Amino acid sequence: MPRIYIPNISVKENQISIAGDNAKYLVSVLRCKKGDELIVFDGEGNSLRTEILKADRKEVIADVIGKVPCDIESPINLILVLGLLKGQKMDMVIQKATELGVKEIMPVITERCQSRETRKVGRWRKIAEEASRQCGRTMIPFIHEPVDYVQFLGKVCQLRFGEIIGLIFWEEGELSVKDAFHKISSSQIARFSVLPIYILIGPEGGFTKEEVSLAEAKGFIVSSLGKRILRAETAAISAVVLIQFLLGALD
């Protein structure tokens, strides 16, 4: 069934009016017509099943049939913190992280970042929107504005008080992901569906030793993804999958 993202869905007399580019997309690309059913979601967890009453390139009017129950969202509040990557690598990680259920993506500028482009947030948010629509999610991960790495660490000092869980992945880390989880308190693990879990992945070239030490001082657990040195985009996707697997979120 076709799906369309409409922020702040407005229902009047049990109908939804869809205009502009969304109407053009539904009619010209998805070939929607009168009588077809359509899922409308708002990116915040709400999804409606509708039937199209009118369809043209200027406006699509749909009658609301009812709410769509959805259990597709990951139970983990996973936040990916990623050193800025150059070219289309950032686009790819945002797309795949969205498909895998990440709740937020925070680009950071580290010492070894080869790209310091900070004007692509609109593009990245559009990629997350399209990925959410394609994979069936009802929520769209929030893409933050890029910030300096040290500035980011300053905002998460509450790690010291056990309010969030943090892992930083480094090629020289001595702990496997599984062993790193053994260092997390049982009370934190029991609340994994509530506590934010931050995953820190470096850019091309990885984190410097000083950057890892700064994160460790804030309470992040240093881990590795094995003996092989992975590309940054591979590391990001692998870490997201492994953590969800260990917490049973892929069942």
Side-chain angles (χ1 to χ4, degrees):
M1 188 182 303
R3 303 177 77 247
I4 191 75
Y5 164 61
I6 305 291
N8 304 314
I9 299 172
S10 176
V11 179
K12 296 181 180 179
E13 297 181 354
N14 207 50
Q15 293 182 356
I16 298 173
S17 174
I18 304 168
D21 290 341
N22 283 326
K24 185 177 180 180
Y25 172 76
L26 287 172
V27 174
S28 300
V29 179
L30 297 185
R31 303 295 182 185
C32 292
K33 59 185 183 300
K34 181 179 178 180
D36 288 349
E37 290 193 357
L38 172 70
I39 298 295
V40 180
F41 72 103
D42 65 359
E44 297 181 2
N46 301 303
S47 188
L48 299 175
R49 182 181 175 188
T50 70
E51 180 181 345
I52 295 175
L53 302 177
K54 169 192 171 184
D56 60 47
R57 290 163 58 90
K58 292 184 178 180
E59 183 183 35
V60 172
I61 296 177
D63 187 56
V64 176
I65 298 173
K67 290 186 176 181
V68 179
C70 183
D71 60 356
I72 197 171
E73 291 296 329
S74 172
I76 303 173
N77 187 7
L78 206 56
I79 301 171
L80 175 62
V81 183
L82 180 65
L84 281 175
L85 305 178
K86 64 180 181 179
Q88 296 183 341
K89 296 176 183 178
M90 199 77 183
D91 297 356
M92 190 267 280
V93 172
I94 288 170
Q95 181 190 64
K96 302 310 176 188
T98 298
E99 293 174 8
L100 290 167
V102 165
K103 296 294 195 299
E104 299 177 39
I105 299 173
M106 304 181 71
V108 292
I109 301 170
T110 68
E111 184 175 328
R112 292 177 177 166
C113 279
Q114 297 179 32
S115 170
R116 296 179 183 267
E117 175 59 69
T118 61
R119 296 173 295 176
K120 293 185 177 180
V121 176
R123 170 186 172 84
W124 296 334
R125 288 174 179 166
K126 187 67 176 177
I127 289 170
E129 174 190 322
E130 289 296 322
S132 293
R133 181 188 61 78
Q134 179 274 326
C135 73
R137 289 188 65 175
T138 58
M139 298 185 70
I140 298 174
F142 183 72
I143 313 297
H144 292 260
E145 294 283 345
V147 297
D148 179 77
Y149 176 75
V150 175
Q151 182 182 350
F152 158 75
L153 288 177
K155 292 182 178 180
V156 294
C157 60
Q158 66 264 42
L159 269 172
R160 293 180 179 276
F161 306 102
E163 293 301 319
I164 61 179
I165 298 170
L167 296 167
I168 180 168
F169 290 92
W170 188 39
E171 61 271 18
E172 296 183 35
E174 297 180 355
L175 294 177
S176 67
V177 181
K178 188 174 181 179
D179 289 340
F181 263 75
H182 290 158
K183 296 190 69 175
I184 300 172
S185 70
S186 57
S187 63
Q188 286 180 310
I189 292 294
R191 294 189 294 150
F192 75 83
S193 62
V194 178
L195 294 179
I197 301 177
Y198 284 79
I199 301 174
L200 270 63
I201 302 290
E204 298 95 342
F207 290 114
T208 65
K209 187 174 182 178
E210 291 73 20
E211 287 170 336
V212 174
S213 296
L214 282 172
E216 195 170 16
K218 292 291 186 181
F220 281 86
I221 299 170
V222 183
S223 181
S224 78
L225 290 166
K227 297 179 180 180
R228 291 177 292 278
I229 297 177
L230 305 180
R231 292 180 181 273
E233 59 271 32
T234 307
I237 295 167
S238 299
V240 169
V241 172
L242 280 171
I243 289 173
Q244 293 199 89
F245 174 75
L246 288 171
L247 291 174
L250 296 180
D251 294 345

PDB file of all heavy atoms in Angstrom, residues 121-152:
ATOM      1  N   VAL A 121      22.117  19.744   6.076  1.00  0.00           N
ATOM      2  CA  VAL A 121      21.146  19.177   7.013  1.00  0.00           C
ATOM      3  C   VAL A 121      19.780  18.987   6.352  1.00  0.00           C
ATOM      4  O   VAL A 121      19.113  17.967   6.562  1.00  0.00           O
ATOM      5  CB  VAL A 121      21.023  20.055   8.275  1.00  0.00           C
ATOM      6  CG1 VAL A 121      19.949  19.508   9.206  1.00  0.00           C
ATOM      7  CG2 VAL A 121      22.359  20.108   9.008  1.00  0.00           C
ATOM      8  N   GLY A 122      19.355  19.954   5.544  1.00  0.00           N
ATOM      9  CA  GLY A 122      18.077  19.826   4.845  1.00  0.00           C
ATOM     10  C   GLY A 122      18.054  18.604   3.946  1.00  0.00           C
ATOM     11  O   GLY A 122      17.054  17.877   3.892  1.00  0.00           O
ATOM     12  N   ARG A 123      19.153  18.375   3.243  1.00  0.00           N
ATOM     13  CA  ARG A 123      19.266  17.202   2.369  1.00  0.00           C
ATOM     14  C   ARG A 123      19.212  15.918   3.193  1.00  0.00           C
ATOM     15  O   ARG A 123      18.516  14.963   2.838  1.00  0.00           O
ATOM     16  CB  ARG A 123      20.575  17.278   1.588  1.00  0.00           C
ATOM     17  CG  ARG A 123      20.933  16.017   0.812  1.00  0.00           C
ATOM     18  CD  ARG A 123      22.315  16.147   0.182  1.00  0.00           C
ATOM     19  NE  ARG A 123      22.765  14.900  -0.408  1.00  0.00           N
ATOM     20  CZ  ARG A 123      22.440  14.494  -1.628  1.00  0.00           C
ATOM     21  NH1 ARG A 123      21.651  15.237  -2.375  1.00  0.00           N
ATOM     22  NH2 ARG A 123      22.896  13.353  -2.105  1.00  0.00           N
ATOM     23  N   TRP A 124      19.943  15.894   4.320  1.00  0.00           N
ATOM     24  CA  TRP A 124      19.968  14.693   5.159  1.00  0.00           C
ATOM     25  C   TRP A 124      18.593  14.392   5.742  1.00  0.00           C
ATOM     26  O   TRP A 124      18.189  13.233   5.830  1.00  0.00           O
ATOM     27  CB  TRP A 124      20.991  14.868   6.277  1.00  0.00           C
ATOM     28  CG  TRP A 124      22.401  14.999   5.786  1.00  0.00           C
ATOM     29  CD1 TRP A 124      22.915  14.511   4.612  1.00  0.00           C
ATOM     30  CD2 TRP A 124      23.478  15.676   6.436  1.00  0.00           C
ATOM     31  NE1 TRP A 124      24.242  14.841   4.499  1.00  0.00           N
ATOM     32  CE2 TRP A 124      24.619  15.551   5.598  1.00  0.00           C
ATOM     33  CE3 TRP A 124      23.601  16.371   7.639  1.00  0.00           C
ATOM     34  CZ2 TRP A 124      25.854  16.098   5.944  1.00  0.00           C
ATOM     35  CZ3 TRP A 124      24.827  16.916   7.983  1.00  0.00           C
ATOM     36  CH2 TRP A 124      25.947  16.776   7.139  1.00  0.00           C
ATOM     37  N   ARG A 125      17.864  15.436   6.118  1.00  0.00           N
ATOM     38  CA  ARG A 125      16.519  15.226   6.663  1.00  0.00           C
ATOM     39  C   ARG A 125      15.577  14.675   5.596  1.00  0.00           C
ATOM     40  O   ARG A 125      14.698  13.860   5.895  1.00  0.00           O
ATOM     41  CB  ARG A 125      15.987  16.534   7.251  1.00  0.00           C
ATOM     42  CG  ARG A 125      16.684  16.911   8.558  1.00  0.00           C
ATOM     43  CD  ARG A 125      16.277  18.274   9.081  1.00  0.00           C
ATOM     44  NE  ARG A 125      16.962  18.553  10.351  1.00  0.00           N
ATOM     45  CZ  ARG A 125      17.020  19.752  10.923  1.00  0.00           C
ATOM     46  NH1 ARG A 125      16.434  20.793  10.330  1.00  0.00           N
ATOM     47  NH2 ARG A 125      17.660  19.917  12.072  1.00  0.00           N
ATOM     48  N   LYS A 126      15.758  15.116   4.366  1.00  0.00           N
ATOM     49  CA  LYS A 126      14.944  14.585   3.270  1.00  0.00           C
ATOM     50  C   LYS A 126      15.262  13.111   3.030  1.00  0.00           C
ATOM     51  O   LYS A 126      14.366  12.301   2.771  1.00  0.00           O
ATOM     52  CB  LYS A 126      15.207  15.398   1.995  1.00  0.00           C
ATOM     53  CG  LYS A 126      14.291  15.041   0.834  1.00  0.00           C
ATOM     54  CD  LYS A 126      12.855  15.432   1.121  1.00  0.00           C
ATOM     55  CE  LYS A 126      11.958  15.154  -0.073  1.00  0.00           C
ATOM     56  NZ  LYS A 126      10.532  15.458   0.230  1.00  0.00           N
ATOM     57  N   ILE A 127      16.535  12.752   3.129  1.00  0.00           N
ATOM     58  CA  ILE A 127      16.937  11.349   2.967  1.00  0.00           C
ATOM     59  C   ILE A 127      16.300  10.490   4.063  1.00  0.00           C
ATOM     60  O   ILE A 127      15.797   9.390   3.801  1.00  0.00           O
ATOM     61  CB  ILE A 127      18.475  11.222   2.995  1.00  0.00           C
ATOM     62  CG1 ILE A 127      19.069  11.819   1.712  1.00  0.00           C
ATOM     63  CG2 ILE A 127      18.909   9.766   3.162  1.00  0.00           C
ATOM     64  CD1 ILE A 127      20.578  11.955   1.741  1.00  0.00           C
ATOM     65  N   ALA A 128      16.313  10.987   5.302  1.00  0.00           N
ATOM     66  CA  ALA A 128      15.703  10.250   6.413  1.00  0.00           C
ATOM     67  C   ALA A 128      14.198  10.101   6.206  1.00  0.00           C
ATOM     68  O   ALA A 128      13.616   9.045   6.495  1.00  0.00           O
ATOM     69  CB  ALA A 128      15.989  10.965   7.732  1.00  0.00           C
ATOM     70  N   GLU A 129      13.570  11.150   5.689  1.00  0.00           N
ATOM     71  CA  GLU A 129      12.132  11.103   5.409  1.00  0.00           C
ATOM     72  C   GLU A 129      11.817  10.029   4.371  1.00  0.00           C
ATOM     73  O   GLU A 129      10.905   9.211   4.551  1.00  0.00           O
ATOM     74  CB  GLU A 129      11.670  12.473   4.907  1.00  0.00           C
ATOM     75  CG  GLU A 129      10.228  12.524   4.443  1.00  0.00           C
ATOM     76  CD  GLU A 129       9.904  13.827   3.733  1.00  0.00           C
ATOM     77  OE1 GLU A 129      10.403  14.885   4.170  1.00  0.00           O
ATOM     78  OE2 GLU A 129       9.152  13.789   2.731  1.00  0.00           O
ATOM     79  N   GLU A 130      12.579  10.017   3.277  1.00  0.00           N
ATOM     80  CA  GLU A 130      12.345   9.042   2.217  1.00  0.00           C
ATOM     81  C   GLU A 130      12.612   7.618   2.701  1.00  0.00           C
ATOM     82  O   GLU A 130      11.880   6.682   2.356  1.00  0.00           O
ATOM     83  CB  GLU A 130      13.235   9.363   1.013  1.00  0.00           C
ATOM     84  CG  GLU A 130      12.828  10.616   0.252  1.00  0.00           C
ATOM     85  CD  GLU A 130      11.450  10.480  -0.379  1.00  0.00           C
ATOM     86  OE1 GLU A 130      11.121   9.378  -0.863  1.00  0.00           O
ATOM     87  OE2 GLU A 130      10.694  11.469  -0.368  1.00  0.00           O
ATOM     88  N   ALA A 131      13.667   7.450   3.506  1.00  0.00           N
ATOM     89  CA  ALA A 131      13.991   6.118   4.020  1.00  0.00           C
ATOM     90  C   ALA A 131      12.900   5.616   4.965  1.00  0.00           C
ATOM     91  O   ALA A 131      12.548   4.431   4.952  1.00  0.00           O
ATOM     92  CB  ALA A 131      15.339   6.145   4.730  1.00  0.00           C
ATOM     93  N   SER A 132      12.354   6.508   5.788  1.00  0.00           N
ATOM     94  CA  SER A 132      11.269   6.125   6.701  1.00  0.00           C
ATOM     95  C   SER A 132      10.031   5.701   5.923  1.00  0.00           C
ATOM     96  O   SER A 132       9.373   4.711   6.259  1.00  0.00           O
ATOM     97  CB  SER A 132      10.923   7.293   7.633  1.00  0.00           C
ATOM     98  OG  SER A 132      11.976   7.573   8.522  1.00  0.00           O
ATOM     99  N   ARG A 133       9.708   6.461   4.888  1.00  0.00           N
ATOM    100  CA  ARG A 133       8.544   6.118   4.063  1.00  0.00           C
ATOM    101  C   ARG A 133       8.729   4.762   3.401  1.00  0.00           C
ATOM    102  O   ARG A 133       7.828   3.924   3.398  1.00  0.00           O
ATOM    103  CB  ARG A 133       8.337   7.196   2.991  1.00  0.00           C
ATOM    104  CG  ARG A 133       7.126   6.947   2.090  1.00  0.00           C
ATOM    105  CD  ARG A 133       7.063   7.929   0.934  1.00  0.00           C
ATOM    106  NE  ARG A 133       8.230   7.829   0.079  1.00  0.00           N
ATOM    107  CZ  ARG A 133       8.408   6.869  -0.830  1.00  0.00           C
ATOM    108  NH1 ARG A 133       7.493   5.919  -0.987  1.00  0.00           N
ATOM    109  NH2 ARG A 133       9.493   6.841  -1.568  1.00  0.00           N
ATOM    110  N   GLN A 134       9.921   4.523   2.877  1.00  0.00           N
ATOM    111  CA  GLN A 134      10.184   3.283   2.141  1.00  0.00           C
ATOM    112  C   GLN A 134      10.152   2.052   3.042  1.00  0.00           C
ATOM    113  O   GLN A 134       9.632   1.000   2.659  1.00  0.00           O
ATOM    114  CB  GLN A 134      11.539   3.396   1.438  1.00  0.00           C
ATOM    115  CG  GLN A 134      11.959   2.162   0.641  1.00  0.00           C
ATOM    116  CD  GLN A 134      12.678   1.125   1.483  1.00  0.00           C
ATOM    117  OE1 GLN A 134      13.407   1.469   2.406  1.00  0.00           O
ATOM    118  NE2 GLN A 134      12.456  -0.149   1.184  1.00  0.00           N
ATOM    119  N   CYS A 135      10.703   2.179   4.260  1.00  0.00           N
ATOM    120  CA  CYS A 135      10.846   0.988   5.108  1.00  0.00           C
ATOM    121  C   CYS A 135       9.645   0.751   6.020  1.00  0.00           C
ATOM    122  O   CYS A 135       9.611  -0.244   6.749  1.00  0.00           O
ATOM    123  CB  CYS A 135      12.134   1.071   5.935  1.00  0.00           C
ATOM    124  SG  CYS A 135      12.088   2.254   7.298  1.00  0.00           S
ATOM    125  N   GLY A 136       8.678   1.655   6.010  1.00  0.00           N
ATOM    126  CA  GLY A 136       7.462   1.438   6.786  1.00  0.00           C
ATOM    127  C   GLY A 136       7.465   2.037   8.173  1.00  0.00           C
ATOM    128  O   GLY A 136       6.533   1.803   8.952  1.00  0.00           O
ATOM    129  N   ARG A 137       8.476   2.834   8.505  1.00  0.00           N
ATOM    130  CA  ARG A 137       8.502   3.458   9.827  1.00  0.00           C
ATOM    131  C   ARG A 137       7.421   4.527   9.943  1.00  0.00           C
ATOM    132  O   ARG A 137       7.022   5.148   8.954  1.00  0.00           O
ATOM    133  CB  ARG A 137       9.871   4.097  10.101  1.00  0.00           C
ATOM    134  CG  ARG A 137      10.983   3.113  10.326  1.00  0.00           C
ATOM    135  CD  ARG A 137      12.258   3.802  10.790  1.00  0.00           C
ATOM    136  NE  ARG A 137      12.101   4.433  12.105  1.00  0.00           N
ATOM    137  CZ  ARG A 137      13.091   5.013  12.773  1.00  0.00           C
ATOM    138  NH1 ARG A 137      14.308   5.057  12.243  1.00  0.00           N
ATOM    139  NH2 ARG A 137      12.877   5.553  13.954  1.00  0.00           N
ATOM    140  N   THR A 138       6.973   4.753  11.181  1.00  0.00           N
ATOM    141  CA  THR A 138       6.019   5.832  11.429  1.00  0.00           C
ATOM    142  C   THR A 138       6.707   7.050  12.038  1.00  0.00           C
ATOM    143  O   THR A 138       6.086   8.094  12.196  1.00  0.00           O
ATOM    144  CB  THR A 138       4.903   5.369  12.380  1.00  0.00           C
ATOM    145  OG1 THR A 138       5.491   4.931  13.616  1.00  0.00           O
ATOM    146  CG2 THR A 138       4.116   4.226  11.771  1.00  0.00           C
ATOM    147  N   MET A 139       7.975   6.894  12.402  1.00  0.00           N
ATOM    148  CA  MET A 139       8.757   7.995  12.956  1.00  0.00           C
ATOM    149  C   MET A 139       9.942   8.282  12.044  1.00  0.00           C
ATOM    150  O   MET A 139      10.504   7.366  11.437  1.00  0.00           O
ATOM    151  CB  MET A 139       9.244   7.669  14.368  1.00  0.00           C
ATOM    152  CG  MET A 139       8.128   7.442  15.372  1.00  0.00           C
ATOM    153  SD  MET A 139       8.741   7.201  17.056  1.00  0.00           S
ATOM    154  CE  MET A 139       9.323   8.853  17.432  1.00  0.00           C
ATOM    155  N   ILE A 140      10.311   9.544  11.967  1.00  0.00           N
ATOM    156  CA  ILE A 140      11.471   9.952  11.182  1.00  0.00           C
ATOM    157  C   ILE A 140      12.559  10.394  12.156  1.00  0.00           C
ATOM    158  O   ILE A 140      12.313  11.251  13.013  1.00  0.00           O
ATOM    159  CB  ILE A 140      11.119  11.109  10.231  1.00  0.00           C
ATOM    160  CG1 ILE A 140      10.049  10.652   9.234  1.00  0.00           C
ATOM    161  CG2 ILE A 140      12.362  11.605   9.495  1.00  0.00           C
ATOM    162  CD1 ILE A 140       9.527  11.758   8.344  1.00  0.00           C
ATOM    163  N   PRO A 141      13.750   9.812  12.079  1.00  0.00           N
ATOM    164  CA  PRO A 141      14.806  10.218  13.014  1.00  0.00           C
ATOM    165  C   PRO A 141      15.158  11.691  12.846  1.00  0.00           C
ATOM    166  O   PRO A 141      15.170  12.208  11.726  1.00  0.00           O
ATOM    167  CB  PRO A 141      15.987   9.314  12.640  1.00  0.00           C
ATOM    168  CG  PRO A 141      15.701   8.843  11.259  1.00  0.00           C
ATOM    169  CD  PRO A 141      14.212   8.778  11.132  1.00  0.00           C
ATOM    170  N   PHE A 142      15.437  12.338  13.960  1.00  0.00           N
ATOM    171  CA  PHE A 142      15.790  13.758  13.900  1.00  0.00           C
ATOM    172  C   PHE A 142      17.269  13.893  13.565  1.00  0.00           C
ATOM    173  O   PHE A 142      18.122  13.289  14.220  1.00  0.00           O
ATOM    174  CB  PHE A 142      15.495  14.448  15.227  1.00  0.00           C
ATOM    175  CG  PHE A 142      15.780  15.926  15.187  1.00  0.00           C
ATOM    176  CD1 PHE A 142      14.956  16.777  14.472  1.00  0.00           C
ATOM    177  CD2 PHE A 142      16.883  16.461  15.837  1.00  0.00           C
ATOM    178  CE1 PHE A 142      15.214  18.139  14.413  1.00  0.00           C
ATOM    179  CE2 PHE A 142      17.157  17.815  15.784  1.00  0.00           C
ATOM    180  CZ  PHE A 142      16.316  18.658  15.070  1.00  0.00           C
ATOM    181  N   ILE A 143      17.568  14.681  12.546  1.00  0.00           N
ATOM    182  CA  ILE A 143      18.952  14.937  12.149  1.00  0.00           C
ATOM    183  C   ILE A 143      19.367  16.282  12.743  1.00  0.00           C
ATOM    184  O   ILE A 143      18.817  17.323  12.386  1.00  0.00           O
ATOM    185  CB  ILE A 143      19.115  14.979  10.614  1.00  0.00           C
ATOM    186  CG1 ILE A 143      18.402  13.789   9.950  1.00  0.00           C
ATOM    187  CG2 ILE A 143      20.600  15.020  10.252  1.00  0.00           C
ATOM    188  CD1 ILE A 143      18.933  12.441  10.309  1.00  0.00           C
ATOM    189  N   HIS A 144      20.326  16.264  13.643  1.00  0.00           N
ATOM    190  CA  HIS A 144      20.774  17.485  14.308  1.00  0.00           C
ATOM    191  C   HIS A 144      21.698  18.297  13.400  1.00  0.00           C
ATOM    192  O   HIS A 144      22.301  17.770  12.460  1.00  0.00           O
ATOM    193  CB  HIS A 144      21.536  17.136  15.590  1.00  0.00           C
ATOM    194  CG  HIS A 144      20.678  16.539  16.664  1.00  0.00           C
ATOM    195  ND1 HIS A 144      20.206  17.268  17.733  1.00  0.00           N
ATOM    196  CD2 HIS A 144      20.199  15.278  16.834  1.00  0.00           C
ATOM    197  CE1 HIS A 144      19.481  16.485  18.517  1.00  0.00           C
ATOM    198  NE2 HIS A 144      19.462  15.271  17.992  1.00  0.00           N
ATOM    199  N   GLU A 145      21.819  19.566  13.715  1.00  0.00           N
ATOM    200  CA  GLU A 145      22.826  20.401  13.072  1.00  0.00           C
ATOM    201  C   GLU A 145      24.209  19.924  13.533  1.00  0.00           C
ATOM    202  O   GLU A 145      24.386  19.555  14.691  1.00  0.00           O
ATOM    203  CB  GLU A 145      22.642  21.869  13.472  1.00  0.00           C
ATOM    204  CG  GLU A 145      21.355  22.511  12.968  1.00  0.00           C
ATOM    205  CD  GLU A 145      21.423  22.883  11.497  1.00  0.00           C
ATOM    206  OE1 GLU A 145      22.544  22.905  10.944  1.00  0.00           O
ATOM    207  OE2 GLU A 145      20.358  23.149  10.912  1.00  0.00           O
ATOM    208  N   PRO A 146      25.204  19.911  12.642  1.00  0.00           N
ATOM    209  CA  PRO A 146      26.552  19.489  13.051  1.00  0.00           C
ATOM    210  C   PRO A 146      27.117  20.402  14.141  1.00  0.00           C
ATOM    211  O   PRO A 146      26.915  21.617  14.112  1.00  0.00           O
ATOM    212  CB  PRO A 146      27.366  19.614  11.759  1.00  0.00           C
ATOM    213  CG  PRO A 146      26.355  19.530  10.660  1.00  0.00           C
ATOM    214  CD  PRO A 146      25.125  20.194  11.198  1.00  0.00           C
ATOM    215  N   VAL A 147      27.807  19.789  15.101  1.00  0.00           N
ATOM    216  CA  VAL A 147      28.452  20.551  16.174  1.00  0.00           C
ATOM    217  C   VAL A 147      29.875  20.049  16.360  1.00  0.00           C
ATOM    218  O   VAL A 147      30.225  18.950  15.921  1.00  0.00           O
ATOM    219  CB  VAL A 147      27.685  20.436  17.516  1.00  0.00           C
ATOM    220  CG1 VAL A 147      26.300  21.029  17.408  1.00  0.00           C
ATOM    221  CG2 VAL A 147      27.617  18.980  17.974  1.00  0.00           C
ATOM    222  N   ASP A 148      30.683  20.849  17.015  1.00  0.00           N
ATOM    223  CA  ASP A 148      32.039  20.438  17.348  1.00  0.00           C
ATOM    224  C   ASP A 148      31.996  19.266  18.333  1.00  0.00           C
ATOM    225  O   ASP A 148      31.134  19.212  19.217  1.00  0.00           O
ATOM    226  CB  ASP A 148      32.794  21.619  17.959  1.00  0.00           C
ATOM    227  CG  ASP A 148      34.211  21.251  18.348  1.00  0.00           C
ATOM    228  OD1 ASP A 148      35.069  21.162  17.453  1.00  0.00           O
ATOM    229  OD2 ASP A 148      34.449  21.047  19.558  1.00  0.00           O
ATOM    230  N   TYR A 149      32.913  18.342  18.175  1.00  0.00           N
ATOM    231  CA  TYR A 149      32.949  17.135  19.003  1.00  0.00           C
ATOM    232  C   TYR A 149      33.029  17.466  20.494  1.00  0.00           C
ATOM    233  O   TYR A 149      32.295  16.891  21.310  1.00  0.00           O
ATOM    234  CB  TYR A 149      34.150  16.284  18.581  1.00  0.00           C
ATOM    235  CG  TYR A 149      34.387  15.048  19.410  1.00  0.00           C
ATOM    236  CD1 TYR A 149      33.574  13.927  19.276  1.00  0.00           C
ATOM    237  CD2 TYR A 149      35.450  14.984  20.311  1.00  0.00           C
ATOM    238  CE1 TYR A 149      33.807  12.779  20.026  1.00  0.00           C
ATOM    239  CE2 TYR A 149      35.692  13.845  21.061  1.00  0.00           C
ATOM    240  CZ  TYR A 149      34.867  12.746  20.917  1.00  0.00           C
ATOM    241  OH  TYR A 149      35.104  11.615  21.662  1.00  0.00           O
ATOM    242  N   VAL A 150      33.894  18.396  20.854  1.00  0.00           N
ATOM    243  CA  VAL A 150      34.049  18.769  22.268  1.00  0.00           C
ATOM    244  C   VAL A 150      32.759  19.407  22.782  1.00  0.00           C
ATOM    245  O   VAL A 150      32.336  19.168  23.920  1.00  0.00           O
ATOM    246  CB  VAL A 150      35.248  19.719  22.455  1.00  0.00           C
ATOM    247  CG1 VAL A 150      35.327  20.199  23.903  1.00  0.00           C
ATOM    248  CG2 VAL A 150      36.549  19.018  22.066  1.00  0.00           C
ATOM    249  N   GLN A 151      32.119  20.195  21.932  1.00  0.00           N
ATOM    250  CA  GLN A 151      30.841  20.811  22.311  1.00  0.00           C
ATOM    251  C   GLN A 151      29.792  19.739  22.574  1.00  0.00           C
ATOM    252  O   GLN A 151      29.008  19.831  23.531  1.00  0.00           O
ATOM    253  CB  GLN A 151      30.373  21.749  21.198  1.00  0.00           C
ATOM    254  CG  GLN A 151      29.075  22.488  21.509  1.00  0.00           C
ATOM    255  CD  GLN A 151      28.624  23.361  20.343  1.00  0.00           C
ATOM    256  OE1 GLN A 151      29.362  23.566  19.376  1.00  0.00           O
ATOM    257  NE2 GLN A 151      27.413  23.872  20.424  1.00  0.00           N
ATOM    258  N   PHE A 152      29.767  18.709  21.730  1.00  0.00           N
ATOM    259  CA  PHE A 152      28.825  17.606  21.941  1.00  0.00           C
ATOM    260  C   PHE A 152      29.068  16.932  23.285  1.00  0.00           C
ATOM    261  O   PHE A 152      28.131  16.697  24.056  1.00  0.00           O
ATOM    262  CB  PHE A 152      28.952  16.573  20.817  1.00  0.00           C
ATOM    263  CG  PHE A 152      28.436  15.213  21.204  1.00  0.00           C
ATOM    264  CD1 PHE A 152      27.079  14.969  21.289  1.00  0.00           C
ATOM    265  CD2 PHE A 152      29.322  14.188  21.526  1.00  0.00           C
ATOM    266  CE1 PHE A 152      26.602  13.725  21.679  1.00  0.00           C
ATOM    267  CE2 PHE A 152      28.861  12.944  21.914  1.00  0.00           C
ATOM    268  CZ  PHE A 152      27.492  12.709  21.990  1.00  0.00           C
TER     269      PHE A 152
END
